[in-house]
Amino acid sequence: MLKADNVTLGYGGRPVVHDVSVEVTEGGVGLIGESGSGKTTVARALLGLIKPMSGAITYGTRDLNALGRADRAAFRGQVQPVFQDGSEALDPRMRIGSSIAEALDAHHRLDRAARDARITELLESVGLDPALAERRPHQLSGGQRQRAVIARALAVEPDILVLDEPTSALDVTVQARVLDLLASLASSRGLTYFLITHNLAVVDRLCRTSQVLFAGRVVEAGPTRTLLTRPAHPYTAALRDAVPKIGGAPPKAVGKVEAAPATEGCAFQRRCPLATDVCRTVRPVAREVAGRNVACHRAEEVVGGQISGAQGG
Ligand code: SF4
């Protein structure tokens, strides 16, 4: 339904994401990478907030960036963002109930009684006491605020949620509960997720397929479980090893993070303990290896366990 085809994205004419293709399909898609990899830029493009420098983003059969005003409003009703913490989505001056009512009013015509009933139902659906409708965002805990953001996104009955690190601002226990909620909403409401995160364990809960982004390029893509259990790219292996569980810290120690991506050959070479001469001169092209696409000259050896992945820096 929502698709990016070979998009190059950037700011001020400078590309930061190169030739990325994503198809947001049933079962969910995860985009994994550390801070600065370009994943938020891809999410912004899929939300129609930035236009691709090349390639196309389509919603159904139509170019997202050529939608008229009415179609764009319909798109916003069907594809909703949920950001890292509630502060972007919830006006700090508004009560939670009013924030949800605002989203409802933008897409539905309801009388006051029906609107109040819907707010109650939405708060209950995300496990919140409806009495919290009277509170303001700062009077809620981090977990309650993120549930309120999800309730607000659900108010318009979307098909797709674009989740940007939806649990990384939460403590471990609350994080697990919000993930449980998202997993149950996916099945009960037929929601599809496009999830961006640094954490392979989080994506494993919510997305059937995943892509790993390094320095603005997809280095490995395939079934999430395959990537998690038998990574074929040293960067995926390092992410997996750096963040083994839900609640792990961001993967600051994946290779020598201070090393800038190389512009010739493989971008990951300066952080990869497996780099050889060919890695320094020839950019690896994505190819199929053991049930996924991977851009690494030594993918067969990595997936076969003959050599281990990148080590901590
Ligand atoms: S082995 Fe070579 S191609 Fe593969 S990730 Fe390391 S540097 Fe890149």
Side-chain angles (χ1 to χ4, degrees):
M1 179 184 275
L2 181 61
K3 199 170 157 189
D5 260 324
N6 286 100
V7 290
T8 292
L9 306 164
Y11 303 97
R14 192 178 66 85
V16 296
V17 169
H18 308 263
D19 291 325
V20 168
S21 294
V22 177
E23 199 169 342
V24 184
T25 51
E26 198 186 334
V29 184
L31 191 62
I32 306 150
E34 60 201 356
S35 176
S37 59
K39 55 192 193 306
T40 296
T41 301
V42 177
R44 288 170 58 80
L46 285 171
L47 287 164
L49 301 176
I50 56 170
K51 288 185 181 175
M53 297 167 74
S54 64
I57 297 180
T58 49
Y59 179 60
T61 56
R62 308 177 65 183
D63 184 337
L64 181 58
N65 293 291
L67 296 181
R69 185 183 289 219
D71 287 335
R72 183 159 281 275
F75 170 78
R76 279 199 292 268
Q78 284 160 341
V79 182
Q80 279 283 304
V82 172
F83 295 113
Q84 189 172 123
D85 74 53
S87 52
E88 281 189 58
L90 299 172
D91 186 328
R93 296 160 302 178
M94 286 172 84
R95 295 179 202 279
I96 298 301
S98 301
S99 279
I100 296 173
E102 184 183 58
L104 280 169
D105 290 346
H107 296 274
H108 303 281
R109 286 193 182 282
L110 297 174
D111 62 30
R112 184 167 184 164
R115 195 170 60 185
D116 288 349
R118 183 84 178 108
I119 291 168
T120 296
E121 186 207 326
L122 283 162
L123 289 172
E124 285 175 344
S125 76
V126 297
L128 287 179
D129 181 346
L132 294 180
E134 294 305 314
R135 303 253 181 100
R136 291 195 164 79
H138 75 272
Q139 296 173 303
L140 270 54
S141 69
Q144 287 173 329
R145 210 159 38 235
Q146 196 60 315
R147 285 169 189 264
V149 170
I150 295 166
R152 189 178 193 274
L154 295 178
V156 301
E157 296 173 31
D159 298 317
I160 295 173
L161 290 188
V162 175
L163 305 163
D164 184 349
E165 300 276 14
T167 59
S168 63
L170 307 175
D171 72 42
V172 179
T173 317
V174 181
Q175 194 175 104
R177 285 202 215 111
V178 171
L179 288 176
D180 287 344
L181 168 68
L182 288 167
S184 81
L185 288 171
S187 53
S188 65
R189 292 182 178 250
L191 279 170
T192 297
Y193 298 139
F194 177 68
L195 168 67
I196 67 174
T197 179
H198 64 270
N199 191 329
L200 267 172
V202 169
V203 91
D204 189 41
R205 284 293 312 274
L206 301 178
C207 301
R208 200 177 294 157
T209 61
S210 290
Q211 307 202 12
V212 179
L213 201 63
F214 178 77
R217 292 182 196 274
V218 173
V219 296
E220 186 163 6
T224 304
R225 200 18 81 112
T226 303
L227 268 52
L228 193 59
T229 53
R230 291 179 67 216
H233 194 285
Y235 181 57
T236 314
L239 284 176
R240 192 263 319 259
D241 295 345
V243 191
K245 291 194 294 261
I246 286 167
K252 289 188 178 129
V254 178
K256 291 186 172 63
V257 290
E258 69 280 11
T263 52
E264 197 183 330
C266 174
F268 191 58
Q269 62 181 274
R270 292 176 184 150
R271 294 169 55 181
C272 183
L274 313 178
T276 60
D277 286 349
V278 70
C279 303
R280 291 181 193 99
T281 52
V282 181
R283 184 183 292 282
V285 175
R287 60 204 167 88
E288 195 178 332
V289 175
R292 89 294 304 273
N293 279 314
V294 57
C296 171
H297 296 306
R298 303 186 68 182
E300 285 84 354
E301 297 164 88
V302 177
V303 80
Q306 289 151 268
I307 46 182
S308 60
Q311 292 147 2

